[in-house]
Amino acid sequence: IDCSVGINGQAKSGWIVYPNPSSGSFILQAEREIGLVEVYNTLGALIYKTNAKDNKVQIDLGNEAAGIYYLHAQGRKVMISKQ
């Protein structure tokens, strides 16, 4: 599944990513435990990685430049943007 999620948008996968766009901090919420979460920049470089043991995780990209980032979790992809 390749999902693009807007402000308070919910992808078909049952995920919610908010706020999107953001100033740096995002929440990923799912119906079940999320597991491994990775965020990549547009060059494909891994910039964030965590193992979420809950159905909600906060992702802080505050130190990253404004732009588009790709969030991967449980084999799914979500596009997020930082202003």
Side-chain angles (χ1 to χ4, degrees), residues 30-46:
E31 294 173 353
R32 60 182 181 187
E33 183 178 308
I34 296 169
L36 180 63
V37 175
E38 299 172 325
V39 178
Y40 295 86
N41 64 20
T42 55
L43 299 175
L46 178 66

Side-chain angles (χ1 to χ4, degrees), residues 23-82:
S23 60
S25 184
F26 295 87
I27 303 286
L28 169 61
Q29 188 170 345
E31 294 173 353
R32 60 182 181 187
E33 183 178 308
I34 296 169
L36 180 63
V37 175
E38 299 172 325
V39 178
Y40 295 86
N41 64 20
T42 55
L43 299 175
L46 178 66
I47 60 164
Y48 181 90
K49 183 176 181 178
T50 189
N51 191 2
K53 301 198 183 300
D54 198 355
N55 70 329
K56 188 175 184 180
V57 63
Q58 182 168 350
I59 300 163
D60 186 3
L61 301 181
N63 293 328
E64 300 297 327
I68 302 294
Y69 294 90
Y70 298 94
L71 186 149
H72 295 227
Q74 296 178 350
R76 296 183 176 97
K77 301 175 193 173
V78 176
M79 185 175 66
I80 54 178
S81 62
K82 179 183 177 225

